[in-house]
Amino acid sequence: MHNEKSALRTRLLSQRRALAPEVREAAAKELAGHAGELAAPGATVAAYVSVGAEPGTRPLLDALLARGVRVLLPVLLADNDLDWAAYEGPGALAPAGRGLLEPVGGRLGPEAVTGAELVLLPGLAVDRQGLRLGRGGGSYDRVLARLGRAGVRPLLAVLLYEHELLASVPAEPHDLPVDVALTPSGLHRLGAGAPGR
């Protein structure tokens, strides 16, 4: 299973790096165009700042903020767990380790994510059952476990390029499914919420 996941990660990361900058930029703008479908004004969304060739989140973050959505962004802790801080605009982000950008505002604690109605998760692929292939760092596995322990079930969405919505993804028993994939073309309901189920 580990080798299968590793090979798929390598292939997907290579495909992302091969995307032309203008394709990535257009995808980021199209993702931002779906902000209204994701969250209503006054909602709380846990999101992230994209890095490298990931589907761009910066325009989406600003679109959510402009709608009056409270956006929480992660702050990577030394043990790979995530703390959270409110997003206050692009000028309130600072470089951090591993090439990340993090919010400069006050830390809200790792439990802050349990107050979100929607959690946007990074990923490399997702299948029609909602199984997500992450990068393998485990930070978001901890977030999902924290949500479970708190007894809350926000909508879970992974941001992807179109070709990363796959028929199947290798999964392990501890992998938790997500509800929605957001691609430049729109929202795709997964698992039990998928059309035709």
Side-chain angles (χ1 to χ4, degrees), residues 38 55 64-65 71 76 82-83 85 88 103 115 120 136 151 155 163 166:
L38 287 175
L64 289 169
L65 208 57
V71 179
L76 186 65
L82 298 177
D83 198 338
E88 296 169 353
L120 298 179
L155 190 71
H163 67 273
L166 305 178

Side-chain angles (χ1 to χ4, degrees), residues 62-165:
D62 292 336
L64 289 169
L65 208 57
R67 283 183 57 77
V69 172
R70 180 176 182 238
V71 179
L72 304 180
L73 294 178
V75 177
L76 186 65
L77 300 173
D79 65 355
N80 267 359
D81 205 348
L82 298 177
D83 198 338
W84 300 87
Y87 177 57
E88 296 169 353
L93 294 173
R98 301 189 194 175
L100 301 173
L101 284 174
E102 294 179 344
V104 297
R107 303 297 182 250
L108 303 172
E111 301 299 322
V113 70
T114 64
E117 288 93 351
L118 169 67
V119 178
L120 298 179
L121 305 163
L124 294 173
V126 71
D127 67 19
R128 296 289 177 177
Q129 291 71 50
L131 294 171
R132 177 184 73 98
L133 179 69
R135 284 181 168 265
S139 295
Y140 280 89
D141 290 333
R142 293 183 189 200
V143 168
L144 295 172
R146 181 168 287 118
L147 296 171
R149 284 193 306 274
V152 295
R153 187 61 169 88
L155 190 71
L156 302 175
V158 62
L159 274 60
L160 300 169
Y161 296 106
E162 304 297 338
H163 67 273
E164 295 167 342
L165 188 55

